[in-house]
Amino acid sequence: MFPTGTNEGARGVTADTADLTDDETGRIREQRGWYFYDFACSVYSTSVVTVFLGPYLTSVAKAAADADGFVHPLGIPVRAGSVFAYSVSVSIVLAVLLMPLAGAAADRTGRKKPLLAVAAYVGAGATAGMFFLDGDRYLLGVVLLIVANASLSVSMALYNAYLPQIATPEERDAVSSRGWAFGYTSGAFVLVLNLVLYTGHESFGVSESTAVRICLASAGVWWGAFTLVPLSRLRDRRVAKDGDRAGEGALGTGWRQLMATLRDMRRHPLTLSFLLAYLIYNDGVQTVISQASIYGSEELGLDQTTLITAVLLVQVLAVVGALGMGRLARIHGAKRTILASLAVWTVILAAGYFLPAEAPVWFFALAAAIGMVLGGSQALSRSLFSHLVPRGKEAEYFAAYEMSDRGLSWLGPLVFGLAYQATGSYRDAIVSLVVFFVIGFALLATVPVRRAVAEAGNPVPERI
């Protein structure tokens, strides 16, 4: 879904400000490298989470299920159709445990790149390992999904923390939107290759199951290969603060640092208010992304080719949507543009409940609407939050943001899974997500973002 230069060591606020205002060539170089991490990891979000793994892991779990349709991990009865949703929730809980450690270590040592590399390559390795998911080995799929998803969350917290360091306040909406556009471009390109392999698997001499496993594993290879680009362009830097206790127990004090960060955020209540709104509406976004393929295959009876084509449509239009909403934000401000997108999301989910089964045209229409708001709502939320982060605390605050982005987005998949387990209907599960967008809209509407930026000690853009 979606950037080794020189290590500068400890840098003061003045030096970082100079990076942003005077060294335009270096800043643009870093921005271009930064875009490529979205290009690298978004293939995982698209091909693995959104398209292939949900239906495939569900089919593997069903192969292992008893006569009543339940599997029993750790002796707990779980409906096979809920395994994927529950696994996503568990992966996010693991990410919550790891992100504070990574964020604190990054800010204390100023070495985000090594941590980004570790998280990226652990996730890429787990994704490549999905090639071995076959038969009734659903527990292997669960473990690999948990590791890959948690690694993605940790890496994105570190990646996002670069945004306020590589872009001026006026540039951030555009830079963030371009990053998402890069991600959706790569997702669309790889999905075309996946579609060719999947639909023509017989001509390639492989079974349908093998074709799916190749598509899953290739996402990990892509993720790992293109991560080399941001690692070659981004620079490590650190703003000196708190007596310059750089590196002192960085990992050992991760949770103490999280508590300190949360206490510090109490001094910025408007930043916390934005995070709460984002936590809620983004929970809905992430759940739609991760569960859409199951809804299409299990409830609407659509085949895998139709699902891949629909997601490809989302990817192509998400590029247009991300760039277009970035331009709208320059005219109307990021907050108003995000609010408009949330209204569209609400209409989309309400319409999704009434979609007729085995009607690909209507599913494509819904996918087109999702594509137009998906990238923009995420990109503008990221850039808006970057204005609310006190200088020198980027990784810590973006770890908290990533908990809202992925780390605390466990409630939506859990509600989705519970709704299906209780009713046996994915329609009931999908319509329950409307509440996330309605509440998120109401909370965001009450946040005075210009005052929030000023209270964080940052310059207020002309439009926000």
Side-chain angles (χ1 to χ4, degrees), residues 248-371:
E248 180 186 337
L251 290 176
T253 61
W255 279 100
R256 289 197 296 275
Q257 183 61 58
L258 173 63
M259 295 300 104
T261 299
L262 293 177
R263 286 193 297 270
D264 183 75
M265 292 181 77
R266 292 172 59 188
R267 296 169 45 237
H268 304 285
L270 297 180
T271 300
L272 278 175
S273 296
F274 172 81
L275 271 179
L276 177 61
Y278 180 69
L279 181 155
I280 293 173
Y281 72 73
N282 187 66
D283 204 345
V285 172
Q286 295 299 324
T287 307
V288 172
I289 293 171
S290 65
Q291 306 303 319
S293 59
I294 289 183
Y295 182 68
S297 63
E298 299 294 323
E299 186 68 37
L300 302 182
L302 302 175
D303 59 33
Q304 193 71 33
T305 300
T306 299
L307 295 176
I308 295 173
T309 305
V311 174
L312 180 59
L313 179 62
V314 170
Q315 296 298 111
V316 172
L317 292 180
V319 176
V320 178
L323 297 176
M325 287 180 65
R327 293 190 179 95
L328 287 175
R330 289 199 294 270
I331 300 172
H332 303 289
K335 177 184 173 180
R336 290 181 179 178
T337 307
I338 294 170
L339 288 172
S341 75
L342 298 182
V344 175
W345 272 110
T346 302
V347 173
I348 287 171
L349 284 181
Y353 178 80
F354 296 102
L355 279 186
E358 300 180 354
V361 173
W362 288 108
F363 191 71
F364 290 151
L366 199 70
I370 289 174

Side-chain angles (χ1 to χ4, degrees), residues 3 5 112 128 155 165 243 301 317 330 371 403 414 427 452:
K112 285 195 286 289
S155 70
Q165 296 179 327
L317 292 180
R330 289 199 294 270
M403 287 182 184
L414 180 61
R427 291 186 187 272

Side-chain angles (χ1 to χ4, degrees), residues 124-283:
T127 306
M130 291 178 186
F131 179 79
F132 302 101
L133 174 61
D134 59 357
D136 60 357
R137 303 166 70 184
Y138 78 96
L139 282 177
L140 174 63
V142 167
V143 171
L144 293 175
L145 170 59
I146 290 171
V147 172
N149 236 29
S151 298
L152 178 66
S153 295
V154 172
S155 70
M156 287 301 293
L158 297 164
Y159 163 73
N160 288 336
Y162 275 103
L163 180 58
Q165 296 179 327
I166 65 172
T168 65
E170 291 75 16
E171 293 174 332
R172 289 179 199 168
D173 286 346
V175 169
S176 183
S177 295
R178 289 188 197 114
W180 281 105
F182 263 60
Y184 285 116
T185 299
S186 73
F189 175 72
V190 173
L191 207 52
V192 169
L193 300 180
N194 291 159
L195 183 60
V196 170
L197 174 61
Y198 180 80
T199 57
H201 62 86
E202 292 182 354
S203 62
F204 288 103
V206 297
S207 66
E208 180 179 344
S209 172
T210 301
V212 171
R213 291 188 291 118
I214 290 173
C215 292
L216 293 172
S218 65
V221 175
W222 182 282
W223 184 0
F226 283 99
T227 294
L228 294 173
V229 179
L231 293 179
S232 70
R233 294 288 186 93
L234 291 174
R235 295 186 294 110
D236 279 333
R237 51 166 70 77
R238 179 174 59 84
V239 177
K241 59 181 171 48
D242 295 336
D244 199 26
R245 295 177 294 137
E248 180 186 337
L251 290 176
T253 61
W255 279 100
R256 289 197 296 275
Q257 183 61 58
L258 173 63
M259 295 300 104
T261 299
L262 293 177
R263 286 193 297 270
D264 183 75
M265 292 181 77
R266 292 172 59 188
R267 296 169 45 237
H268 304 285
L270 297 180
T271 300
L272 278 175
S273 296
F274 172 81
L275 271 179
L276 177 61
Y278 180 69
L279 181 155
I280 293 173
Y281 72 73
N282 187 66
D283 204 345

